[in-house]
Amino acid sequence: MTAIILSVMIVLALGIGTCLWVKNTIGRCLLIFLILSTWWSSVIIGTESSGGLDLENLDTMPILTIGPVTVGGTVFYSWIVMAVLTVLSWLVTRRLKTTLHVSYLQTAMEMVVMAIRSQIKAVSGDNPARYMPIMGTFFLFIGLSNLMTVIPWFRAPTASLSTTVAFSLCVFCAMPIYGIRNAGVIGYLKKYIDPTPVMLPLNILSDFSSMFSLAFRLYGNMLSGAIITSILMMFVPVLVPLPMQILGLVTGTIQAYVFALLAIVYVSSVSPKQPFEDHLNFY
Amino acid sequence: MDTVTLIGALSVLAAGLCVAIGGIGPALGEGNVAANALRAMAQQPDEAGNITKTMYIAMAMVESTAIYAFVVTMMIMYANPFWNYAVQVAEKAAQ
């Protein structure tokens, strides 16, 4: 009980301090939300799973039952992330403006989209519009589902091996599609005998191992974050796991970035013959 | 010591060793990456953004070795294939 009162006081102090520090309404709201939700989720998880590792398998955890189909945790939380993304982008693109007074959300979304475009342009050296649909979706979905772990009861769908393997399978299918589109069938197959034909088995193996590492990196990072938090919950349920959760936000964003970036590197490994020239400077 | 005890004890031991030994190499590698990136940024502050971006990718690639060790540890601890087999054998022996 003392610990809870103490943590309320510290959270209040943190909130007031950051509000004095950040001179911006939206920034203040975001900070307060961040602090409150991390604190709240730590309190809730700490009191609910007192003494036990909360490591129930996310895939088989039953959440909803629709007729004969039981929806597991992974699918359910993926649906939540998809709904948030869809509603947010519908809200923003409902009335796009080019006047001086643009809404906050449109500016934020434009920043995100332009950042993704410039990263794709820098890494692939190709027209970013070709890679934007798949790679932008990867980044937004993984990033949002990693960031939404601050919400109590929400568990990131990326902490399940099924999700990450599905993502890396998508990249694995996109590789030959984009490669053949860029350089033709023969040009694409030349990739496998690149320095000498002796390297053929190694080149084929490296395709599979890179997909394997792509899936396991994301899964392992997200799962280790969840495990570290829940182990800390066992010892000190209130407030001590908070810095680990904030660190989890940073790791989640970096992992989303790394996943999308490596996917672009793999997909655009067979580049087109003539380099892309950007006359419009449109990104 | 019967089989179940042996498998349990060895699994815990193997899990600890897996993380311990599997963490050495990636730790050294990540330290190397960070040190070299810092040196490069100190020499060329203009290229700091580019270096940071490449450093993140390299770090993630180095780190994936540690993540493999971690995943194997998790398999040993929570999804051990030999554990269920040993329990089945013990149940059959008990009947």
Side-chain angles (χ1 to χ4, degrees):
Chain A
M1 198 58 212
T2 334
I4 290 180
I5 295 170
L6 196 70
S7 76
V8 168
M9 283 168 63
I10 295 175
V11 163
L12 277 179
L14 266 177
I16 294 169
T18 44
C19 279
L20 291 177
W21 175 49
V22 177
K23 304 259 192 310
N24 181 320
T25 323
I26 290 184
R28 278 178 189 177
C29 292
L30 278 176
L31 272 171
I32 290 174
F33 173 74
L34 189 76
I35 291 170
L36 273 185
S37 58
T38 41
W39 170 73
W40 180 238
S41 69
S42 76
V43 166
I44 283 177
I45 300 169
T47 47
E48 269 184 359
S49 68
S50 48
L53 270 181
D54 186 23
L55 284 177
E56 198 181 350
N57 192 351
L58 199 57
D59 288 352
T60 53
M61 186 167 71
I63 287 198
L64 277 178
T65 310
I66 309 169
V69 186
T70 307
V71 174
T74 314
V75 178
F76 181 72
Y77 290 122
S78 306
W79 282 350
I80 292 181
V81 176
M82 281 153 62
V84 169
L85 276 179
T86 315
V87 169
L88 207 63
S89 45
W90 174 74
L91 274 180
V92 172
T93 53
R94 196 171 40 147
R95 44 175 102 93
L96 288 175
K97 281 185 223 152
T98 51
T99 51
L100 273 180
H101 298 285
V102 187
S103 65
Y104 287 127
L105 266 178
Q106 190 188 333
T107 317
M109 291 298 129
E110 275 178 1
M111 272 178 64
V112 171
V113 169
M114 279 166 73
I116 297 174
R117 285 186 74 103
S118 65
Q119 287 297 322
I120 295 176
K121 174 78 170 63
V123 172
S124 70
D126 199 359
N127 187 357
R130 304 176 70 184
Y131 302 100
M132 185 71 190
I134 177 166
M135 298 309 160
T137 312
F138 276 143
F139 177 74
L140 288 178
F141 187 89
I142 297 172
L144 191 69
S145 57
N146 291 348
L147 288 182
M148 274 172 77
T149 46
V150 292
I151 297 171
W153 296 296
F154 186 87
R155 292 184 56 186
T158 43
S160 146
L161 197 54
S162 318
T163 318
T164 55
V165 166
F167 286 162
S168 71
L169 277 179
C170 289
V171 178
F172 190 71
C173 296
M175 246 178 6
I177 293 175
Y178 278 95
I180 289 172
R181 241 173 152 196
N182 280 345
V185 179
I186 297 171
Y188 175 69
L189 290 180
K190 259 184 196 159
K191 179 186 102 170
Y192 289 104
I193 50 168
D194 189 14
T196 55
V198 185
M199 297 290 280
L200 178 69
L202 283 180
N203 278 332
I204 293 173
L205 205 65
S206 87
D207 266 12
F208 286 100
S209 71
S210 56
M211 292 306 118
F212 181 81
S213 71
L214 208 57
F216 272 86
R217 180 179 306 123
L218 185 57
Y219 164 69
N221 269 295
M222 288 302 108
L223 190 72
S224 64
I227 286 175
I228 287 169
T229 314
S230 55
I231 286 175
L232 279 180
M233 297 288 181
M234 275 166 56
F235 301 122
V236 214
V238 176
L239 207 73
V240 174
L242 206 149
M244 294 312 291
Q245 280 185 320
I246 294 176
L247 185 73
L249 294 181
V250 179
T251 343
T253 321
I254 290 178
Q255 286 307 315
Y257 175 68
V258 163
F259 187 97
L261 211 67
L262 283 178
I264 298 164
V265 169
Y266 294 144
V267 162
S268 67
S269 60
V270 181
S271 49
K273 277 164 195 155
Q274 56 276 66
F276 172 65
E277 282 169 21
D278 200 358
H279 298 296
L280 294 172
N281 209 13
F282 178 60
Y283 55 87
Chain B
M1 221 187 319
D2 59 335
T3 323
V4 178
T5 320
L6 196 67
I7 287 179
L10 284 183
S11 300
V12 174
L13 189 68
L17 281 180
C18 188
V19 161
I21 300 173
I24 294 173
L28 290 176
E30 285 203 10
N32 220 343
V33 169
N36 280 320
L38 285 177
R39 191 171 301 140
M41 272 189 253
Q43 281 171 359
Q44 286 175 298
D46 294 345
E47 287 290 309
N50 224 343
I51 293 169
T52 313
K53 189 182 78 184
T54 322
M55 186 191 76
Y56 277 138
I57 307 171
M59 277 237 179
M61 288 192 132
V62 171
E63 198 188 39
S64 57
T65 326
I67 295 295
Y68 297 154
F70 170 73
V71 168
V72 170
T73 311
M74 283 294 114
M75 268 162 68
I76 294 172
M77 299 274 282
Y78 295 104
N80 196 333
F82 304 111
W83 180 253
N84 291 334
Y85 174 74
V87 168
Q88 276 174 10
V89 169
E91 276 176 357
K92 267 184 196 165
Q95 278 170 5

